[in-house]
Amino acid sequence: MNIALAGNPNTGKTSLFNILTGSYEYVGNWTGVTVEKKVGVLKNKVGRLIDLPGIYSLNPLSRDEGVATQFLLSEDFSLILNIVDAAQIERNLYLTIQLLEYGRPMVIGLNMIDVAKSRGFQIDAKNLSKRLLGSPIVPIVARTGKGCDQLAANFQAMKERKVEPLFIDYGPELEQAVGTLIERLNHVELPSKRWMALQFFEGNSLVRELLQKHIASSELTALFEQTEQQVISGKTGIKNLQQHIRSVRGDVIRAILSDCLTRTKEVEYTFSETVDQIVTNKYLGIPIFLLFMFLIFKFTFDWVGTPLSDLLDAFFSGPLTEWLTQALVAVGASDFIQAVLLNGIVAGVGGVLVFVPQIFMLFFLISFIEDSGYMARVAMVMDKLMEMIGLNGKAFIPMIIGFGCNVPGVMAARTIEQPKERLLTIILTPLMSCSARLSVYSLFVGAFFTQHQALIVLSLYLLGIVVALGLAKIFSSTLLKQSSSMFVVELPPYRFPQWRTLMRSTWEKGKGFIRKAGTFIFGGSVVIWFLSYAGPGGLNVDMNNSYLAMIGGLIAPLFAPLGFGTWQAGAALLTGFLAKEVVVSTMNIIYVAPDLATLQGTMANFYSPLSAYSFMVFLLLYVPCLATVAVIKKETASARWTWFSIGYALMIAYLIALMIYWGGKFLGFQ
Amino acid sequence: MVLSEMKQGSIVKILNTDRVSEIVRRRLIDLGMMEGATIRIKRILPFGGPFAVEICGQWIGIRRCEAKSIEVEWAS
């Protein structure tokens, strides 16, 4: 049995999904849409639960929201699990009514019943159930799991029940038109024809598309316009069909609630109000936000993340390598196998895995901010600035996250409704200088800019931001022209996040990183190592005669105008595509340096300070790393935009590095 | 009067949202912010920034340009 989980955004749908399923089964893609829908097996094994994106209405505003409607139209399921926020019951029932009109058995989870009670809402669930076709209604608290077992116990029995669609009288004019439309569909096999007719008159574009397969578009338009005329004439304050339908449903909901809902008190949100007065304050808003960001980076890179990463690094390069060597010697493995494992896989995969503590720390803190309710305020504080460059406040969050790692940054763009603003955010987030790039800067500034290390690094971070904002302005007024920008954000009350939820969402965000290390970074490391190990002269050749040197030498002339036309730089940049921090390890191998000081000394023979800076600028901008490219591909679901994000970055990197190198020369820098 | 002229803390009734763009108007209706609804202005962000309003116990942030297109009157 398939159960569709539907509800308004921000009503605890994902919490309920996690509690009812216990684990994610797989991520499913449905016909025509590329938005993720989660599918999980219910703990009590009676069926599968399908988590649909949060929607306010079945009449979709964006493509993303169309997923739920598309699901109803084309997928097979036997039961709807509707989650309703008890504290926002009037607004939530609007979706419930539409789902009941569709005519499938429904179970309703009345969520956040604790919050509703504390706000003085008393809901008579029994009576409400009667008014909603007898659908079982179970009060739950999805965040803690209270009532969820009881909710799940209803699924089996409800599935068997035959239900009639909910009937609401929309007035003689509309009812007549609905009748006409249903009659026209007499000969076609379609589920819930009345529901379809109503959705059509409400202006649902997906339903219209489907109807057009059976009825000529001109006929539909004529019927629509004629009905609209009839309905709105003689009514004051009603301007179109959509409004009429909405107001009829609104009346029905209010009538139901007058029977089932008692408000015992009016509550003021004093706590949230006080917090908001501080964090969105005229003068303090932006400084407080910057302080939060500073603290996040401190936690991630200084206080907790990096020390743990260093421990892991020491473990990989120390005990693990030793044990592996001993084990390999013990089983009599050949030199070649030993080299593959130790210099290839352990160095390559281990080099990426050491970042796990930092990445999880960052995700944990970001989850904390998301769950606390502060993220929506950040979007609001930053909106004005972002609007000027053709984005909206919500785009700021992915960019901030991108400073930690571009991969979660790109994923965070999901919260942006406008497809074009979302796409723009996705392709520009990789310009944020991530933590992996910092390791390369450290190497270079230590060798060439000992006097002004911090200033040089800061200039690179700023360059990334300036280029991203500038390109946002350019792209949004050319390639990705907006017809209508939009920014409407719900500001949830502040709350202290639950451990359970935090752990879960940290893991959900971070697990992909580990999976990647085990798959394509694993493979890539072996290849790179092999290229440096083998050459035309055979195996275990001198590095300068290896295939890696040949490949690096092939592209090196391209970089000559930028000031670093050596095969070593070419090879390092090539491997840097795998992950930017790999540049450091590649240079370690290439310059055969046992430690940092030696490496920096050797590099002085190959770079001047100016060409070193030009190299860093190129590295900052040139291409998103492989993991980021993969996630861009996944999030945009478009090979074209993925290639675009690589292509524009390469071009802009070349152009800016060229300008800096020759501009610097002209000004007399070395 | 339009929403953007009101001061922080005002309680107003929405009269007309016709001038708001279609996509934003529909989202506002989804959130219950439609003609006839009573709202309270919670916060106004500086430098032409967004408005935060309260409606039916929930808070919503909207842009000032949208607030300029929403006609309101004092709620009695």
Side-chain angles (χ1 to χ4, degrees):
Chain A
M1 151 167 79
N2 284 339
I3 300 173
L5 173 58
N8 280 195
N10 209 19
T11 48
K13 233 160 31 70
T14 306
S15 302
L16 182 62
F17 179 85
N18 289 345
I19 283 191
L20 289 178
T21 58
S23 70
Y24 287 138
E25 257 293 276
Y26 65 86
V27 172
N29 265 328
W30 269 259
T31 37
V33 244
T34 44
V35 174
E36 257 183 333
K37 258 175 299 178
K38 282 178 266 160
V39 178
V41 172
L42 287 167
K43 271 183 192 159
N44 59 8
K45 304 275 181 256
V46 297
R48 300 193 306 159
L49 190 63
I50 296 133
D51 189 10
L52 300 174
I55 43 167
Y56 297 103
S57 152
L58 288 176
N59 186 1
L61 252 192
S62 67
R63 250 186 103 76
D64 285 15
E65 287 182 13
V67 172
T69 312
Q70 196 64 53
F71 181 88
L72 293 185
L73 290 175
S74 57
E75 298 292 332
D76 178 45
F77 65 99
S78 33
L79 184 70
I80 299 173
L81 172 56
N82 180 213
I83 180 164
V84 168
D85 178 353
Q88 291 292 340
I89 189 160
E90 187 174 335
R91 179 205 349 139
N92 278 245
L93 283 183
Y94 192 76
L95 178 67
T96 310
I97 294 279
Q98 290 183 69
L99 291 171
L100 284 171
E101 283 186 324
Y102 185 76
R104 283 289 168 93
M106 184 192 275
V107 175
I108 296 172
L110 200 56
N111 194 23
M112 302 199 222
I113 197 76
D114 52 339
V115 180
K117 267 184 192 146
S118 70
R119 288 187 197 168
F121 282 64
Q122 263 183 2
I123 299 166
D124 180 351
K126 236 186 209 151
N127 204 357
L128 185 60
S129 166
K130 259 185 229 153
R131 304 288 301 257
L132 299 174
L133 301 179
S135 309
I137 298 181
V138 183
I140 57 169
V141 182
R143 271 167 22 109
T144 61
K146 203 177 140 200
C148 292
D149 290 339
Q150 216 185 322
L151 182 71
N154 282 295
F155 296 158
Q156 196 65 47
M158 263 320 277
K159 186 191 108 184
E160 315 296 339
R161 180 122 49 114
K162 257 282 188 231
V163 293
E164 281 300 306
L166 179 73
F167 184 87
I168 295 173
D169 187 347
Y170 288 93
E173 299 90 356
L174 184 54
E175 286 302 333
Q176 202 197 335
V178 166
T180 311
L181 190 55
I182 293 176
E183 213 157 280
R184 281 289 280 113
L185 292 169
N186 232 343
H187 57 286
V188 266
E189 197 59 38
L190 279 174
S192 313
K193 285 178 188 161
R194 180 179 163 83
W195 176 84
M196 280 217 183
L198 287 168
Q199 289 289 325
F200 165 71
F201 286 117
E202 208 189 342
N204 190 323
S205 52
L206 287 171
V207 168
R208 192 192 162 108
E209 260 170 48
L210 200 122
L211 290 180
Q212 276 174 4
K213 285 184 193 150
H214 308 288
I215 301 172
S217 173
S218 54
E219 192 186 336
L220 285 173
T221 311
L223 181 63
F224 187 93
E225 281 171 0
Q226 187 198 344
T227 312
E228 186 155 62
Q229 275 308 316
Q230 286 171 355
V231 168
I232 60 178
S233 71
K235 288 193 185 65
T236 48
I238 299 286
K239 288 165 197 135
N240 55 44
L241 265 178
Q242 196 187 339
Q243 208 184 347
H244 169 71
I245 293 174
R246 183 167 267 279
S247 94
V248 172
R249 286 186 187 143
D251 291 343
V252 169
I253 291 168
R254 272 187 292 278
I256 293 174
L257 287 180
S258 69
D259 259 8
C260 310
L261 173 72
T262 355
R263 298 208 60 176
T264 52
K265 60 180 173 188
E266 294 282 333
V267 184
E268 295 281 318
Y269 308 99
T270 41
F271 175 68
S272 288
E273 211 149 302
T274 317
V275 176
D276 265 352
Q277 251 160 39
I278 303 165
V279 301
T280 62
N281 180 279
K282 208 176 204 157
Y283 306 106
L284 293 176
I286 291 178
I288 286 177
F289 164 70
L290 293 176
L291 179 73
F292 265 111
M293 283 301 129
F294 178 73
L295 288 178
I296 286 181
F297 283 93
K298 273 294 191 193
F299 264 109
T300 307
F301 301 112
D302 276 4
W303 295 337
V304 183
T306 306
L308 286 175
S309 287
D310 289 346
L311 282 179
L312 207 57
D313 191 22
F315 172 73
F316 282 143
S317 55
L320 185 70
T321 310
E322 243 165 67
W323 294 336
L324 256 177
T325 318
Q326 280 168 7
L328 287 169
V329 171
V331 299
S334 67
D335 285 352
F336 178 76
I337 296 288
Q338 286 192 31
V340 175
L341 268 171
L342 298 172
N343 304 343
I345 295 168
V346 173
V349 178
V352 175
L353 281 183
V354 294
F355 288 97
V356 163
Q358 288 180 353
I359 292 207
F360 274 73
M361 190 68 217
L362 188 65
F363 287 149
F364 177 81
L365 293 169
I366 287 165
S367 303
F368 187 93
I369 288 195
E370 278 172 349
D371 218 26
S372 70
Y374 181 58
M375 216 52 141
R377 272 78 180 181
V378 173
M380 205 165 92
V381 169
M382 291 296 166
D383 179 63
K384 189 68 211 171
L385 190 74
M386 300 304 277
E387 190 186 357
M388 288 192 248
I389 54 162
L391 286 170
N392 75 54
K394 290 182 186 173
F396 198 72
I397 297 159
M399 295 198 171
I400 292 298
I401 296 173
F403 279 133
C405 174
N406 293 166
V407 172
V410 168
M411 291 196 286
R414 277 183 203 171
T415 52
I416 299 166
E417 296 99 343
Q418 281 283 69
K420 283 182 179 170
E421 286 176 342
R422 181 173 164 219
L423 185 57
L424 194 52
T425 310
I426 289 174
I427 58 178
L428 291 176
T429 298
L431 295 176
M432 298 297 117
S433 184
C434 66
S435 55
R437 278 168 245 192
L438 188 60
S439 60
V440 185
Y441 305 154
S442 311
L443 173 69
F444 275 82
V445 293
F448 299 101
F449 304 99
T450 36
Q451 301 294 314
H452 307 286
Q453 293 202 15
L455 197 68
I456 293 290
V457 173
L458 185 69
S459 73
L460 290 162
Y461 273 82
L462 288 177
L463 182 68
I465 299 172
V466 169
V467 170
L469 298 188
L471 287 178
K473 183 75 196 161
I474 293 170
F475 290 161
S476 67
S477 45
T478 53
L479 277 178
L480 290 164
K481 230 171 192 162
Q482 293 278 8
S483 43
S484 55
S485 171
M486 98 168 246
F487 176 73
V488 175
V489 63
E490 262 190 90
L491 303 168
Y494 289 101
R495 62 179 182 203
F496 199 84
Q498 299 247 321
W499 268 106
R500 191 196 165 105
T501 324
L502 277 184
M503 287 310 181
R504 182 112 199 184
S505 66
T506 306
W507 173 242
E508 279 308 318
K509 287 189 181 94
K511 71 174 180 191
F513 187 79
I514 295 181
R515 197 188 302 134
K516 246 172 279 136
T519 51
F520 69 82
I521 291 186
F522 180 91
S525 304
V526 175
V527 172
I528 286 175
W529 167 83
F530 186 76
L531 289 175
S532 73
Y533 182 80
L539 295 179
N540 206 358
V541 293
D542 177 57
M543 186 83 69
N544 281 310
N545 300 321
S546 69
Y547 286 123
L548 191 63
M550 286 176 61
I551 298 168
L554 213 60
I555 59 166
L558 286 174
F559 298 126
L562 308 184
F564 46 88
T566 60
W567 77 259
Q568 288 92 337
L573 286 170
L574 270 183
T575 58
F577 173 59
L578 197 66
K580 303 263 166 138
E581 63 271 36
V582 175
V583 169
V584 178
S585 21
T586 308
M587 290 201 156
N588 259 310
I589 301 171
I590 290 174
Y591 294 118
V592 210
D595 55 56
L596 197 65
T598 327
L599 178 58
Q600 288 173 339
T602 318
M603 279 167 55
N605 302 324
F606 292 89
Y607 293 88
S608 70
L610 184 59
S611 67
Y613 191 74
S614 162
F615 182 87
M616 286 192 286
V617 167
F618 191 79
L619 178 102
L620 162 70
L621 305 168
Y622 79 123
V623 274
C625 69
L626 191 53
T628 308
V629 170
V631 81
I632 291 175
K633 174 82 193 4
K634 186 164 158 254
E635 295 293 308
T636 60
S638 149
R640 222 179 95 228
W641 282 111
T642 311
W643 282 110
F644 177 78
S645 70
I646 297 173
Y648 92 81
L650 264 175
M651 278 197 295
I652 205 87
Y654 198 88
L655 208 69
I656 293 183
L658 192 72
M659 270 160 44
I660 285 178
Y661 185 65
W662 289 97
K665 273 206 149 174
F666 181 74
L667 293 173
F669 289 104
Q670 273 300 306
Chain B
M1 288 184 297
V2 292
L3 182 60
S4 59
E5 295 166 348
M6 311 309 284
K7 288 219 162 57
Q8 197 164 304
S10 327
I11 299 177
V12 295
K13 191 173 153 193
I14 299 178
L15 289 181
N16 190 323
T17 57
D18 281 358
R19 288 194 294 127
V20 181
S21 70
E22 163 83 14
I23 182 167
V24 173
R25 185 170 66 233
R26 274 183 51 193
R27 174 49 40 84
L28 291 180
I29 289 173
D30 284 337
L31 294 164
M33 210 170 137
M34 57 187 103
E35 288 161 16
T38 303
I39 60 172
R40 177 141 73 117
I41 301 175
K42 303 300 283 188
R43 293 205 63 77
I44 299 172
L45 270 74
F47 315 118
F51 270 53
V53 299
E54 179 187 342
I55 174 153
C56 309
Q58 72 194 325
W59 299 1
I60 302 167
I62 59 168
R63 279 187 173 157
R64 193 164 299 201
C65 60
E66 259 90 52
K68 277 184 190 151
S69 314
I70 298 176
E71 284 173 38
V72 295
E73 65 175 13
W74 290 106
S76 43

